[in-house]
Amino acid sequence: MFGLFKKKSEKEVLQAQYKKLLKEAHSLSTTNRKLSDEKVFEAEEVMKQIEKLA
């Protein structure tokens, strides 16, 4: 209950963004391969930022 209003760390925010981008890429992979590849590329860029923090 005390962690109810805890702010997310920068790493947690980036991980959520990474997960969201991969989910979007997966859903686009059946309709538009080019957009899907762009989302995967964006996700990889976010992963590089996460690795820099670690």
Side-chain angles (χ1 to χ4, degrees):
M1 182 164 167
F2 294 109
L4 188 62
F5 297 108
K6 178 184 164 212
K7 283 186 83 174
K8 289 186 177 182
S9 69
E10 185 177 354
K11 186 175 181 180
E12 290 172 332
V13 170
L14 288 172
Q15 287 174 336
Q17 183 180 5
Y18 177 76
K19 191 173 184 179
K20 178 182 168 221
L21 286 169
L22 285 183
K23 186 176 180 182
E24 288 177 15
H26 180 38
S27 65
L28 285 170
S29 68
T30 58
T31 56
N32 191 335
R33 186 63 190 193
K34 185 177 179 184
L35 282 177
S36 174
D37 290 343
E38 289 176 7
K39 292 291 181 182
V40 170
F41 177 76
E42 289 177 33
E44 291 302 318
E45 294 297 315
V46 170
M47 182 54 75
K48 287 178 185 176
Q49 292 177 359
I50 293 171
E51 289 174 351
K52 284 182 183 178
L53 291 176

